Amino acid sequence: ELKVEQNPLFLSMQEGKNYTIYCNYSTTSDRLYWYRQDPGKSLESLFVLLSNGAVKQEGRLMASLDTKARLSTLHITAAVHDLSATYFCAVDKDHTDKLIFGTGTRLQVFP
Amino acid sequence: KAGVTQTPRYLIKTRGQQVTLSCSPISGHRSVSWYQQTPGQGLQFLFEYFSETQRNKGNFPGRFSGRQFSNSRSEMNVSTLELGDSALYLCASSGTAEKLFFGSGTQLSVL
């Protein structure tokens, strides 16, 4: 059974600092998603990573995928308050839109 | 281009009742999937439909069912509601770009 683990579960960081969220998964997959969720809102797609070594960047966020290590990272550069949200990674093992989600990382950025 | 539309936005039911939730995918998208989000269990896959056929089903009891119509709109039904069914139900659609777009969700409260 595919399991997806994220850490940390909660991250409180100061504005301007850098940090990385980790997403480990238990079986082979080459399709990984990152989503952002604000309180009471739906999921906003951030990145879709489709191959080993894939790296994508948008603003202060950069995601990467290492399928051999079964690891994806979401790196935050010079955090700002607007990045405060919960971040989920999800794996689609069978390419059928059946996503297995991680537990989520709640990010809080303070001045 | 309109996004994924879910109705209703909020729903309050009592134990033992049944409920039907609706999802209209992005125009042209043929795949619709459903997810349940609760504080305790996180985001869990319910089922996925493609061209009116259920392609995948998650580990939920038979009280949870769904269907997809020829216009790709989808409904999910939960019969004999239990308190534990209280959750945010999210619908997602995808086309050919391996990217899932989520609707705003239906917040179901079972009293």
Side-chain angles (χ1 to χ4, degrees):
Chain A
E1 180 187 343
L2 173 61
K3 291 188 178 179
V4 181
E5 295 182 347
Q6 279 181 245
N7 67 82
L9 297 183
F10 182 76
L11 178 56
S12 182
M13 56 190 296
Q14 196 171 17
E15 281 188 330
K17 299 292 187 183
N18 304 333
Y19 209 84
T20 300
I21 298 170
Y22 297 89
C23 174
N24 290 90
Y25 53 97
S26 59
T27 61
T28 303
S29 176
D30 60 0
R31 186 176 292 189
L32 190 134
Y33 299 79
W34 283 96
Y35 286 92
R36 167 183 171 146
Q37 186 176 40
D38 292 289
K41 304 289 186 182
S42 187
L43 296 168
E44 174 191 351
S45 178
L46 295 175
F47 301 108
V48 182
L49 303 170
L50 300 176
S51 62
N52 185 41
V55 177
K56 291 196 174 180
Q57 182 164 6
E58 181 75 33
R60 301 175 188 275
L61 301 177
M62 183 174 70
S64 66
L65 177 62
D66 181 343
T67 57
K68 292 179 182 176
R70 298 175 188 169
L71 171 70
S72 179
T73 60
L74 180 66
H75 186 73
I76 303 157
T77 301
V80 293
H81 179 71
D82 285 351
L83 290 179
S84 298
T86 299
Y87 293 84
F88 292 94
C89 66
V91 175
D92 179 0
K93 184 173 78 72
D94 301 321
H95 296 192
T96 59
D97 294 348
K98 178 182 177 180
L99 299 189
I100 306 300
F101 280 85
T103 50
T105 296
R106 186 179 169 194
L107 170 66
Q108 190 172 37
V109 181
F110 60 91
Chain B
K1 197 173 186 181
V4 179
T5 304
Q6 289 188 248
T7 56
R9 184 70 180 93
Y10 300 95
L11 207 47
I12 300 175
K13 292 285 187 179
T14 55
R15 280 180 298 174
Q17 288 187 310
Q18 75 164 19
V19 67
T20 299
L21 312 182
S22 179
C23 172
S24 293
I26 291 172
S27 177
H29 286 190
R30 295 165 65 187
S31 173
V32 173
S33 48
W34 290 88
Y35 293 82
Q36 181 196 64
Q37 185 175 26
T38 60
Q41 299 299 315
L43 280 152
Q44 294 184 285
F45 172 81
L46 280 158
F47 24 66
E48 186 241 349
Y49 289 88
F50 182 84
S51 294
E52 301 180 66
T53 300
Q54 187 181 87
R55 285 203 301 193
N56 247 315
K57 191 177 191 305
N59 296 323
F60 279 82
R63 300 184 298 105
F64 291 82
S65 62
R67 59 178 175 169
Q68 187 180 31
F69 302 95
S70 57
N71 62 357
S72 294
R73 190 177 71 85
S74 177
E75 289 181 346
M76 68 162 279
N77 184 276
V78 188
S79 62
T80 320
L81 284 165
E82 300 177 1
L83 295 178
D85 298 333
S86 294
L88 178 65
Y89 290 89
L90 293 165
C91 166
S93 76
S94 70
T96 58
E98 294 105 9
K99 189 173 180 179
L100 267 71
F101 296 85
F102 282 82
S104 299
T106 294
Q107 184 68 54
L108 172 65
S109 297
V110 182
L111 306 177

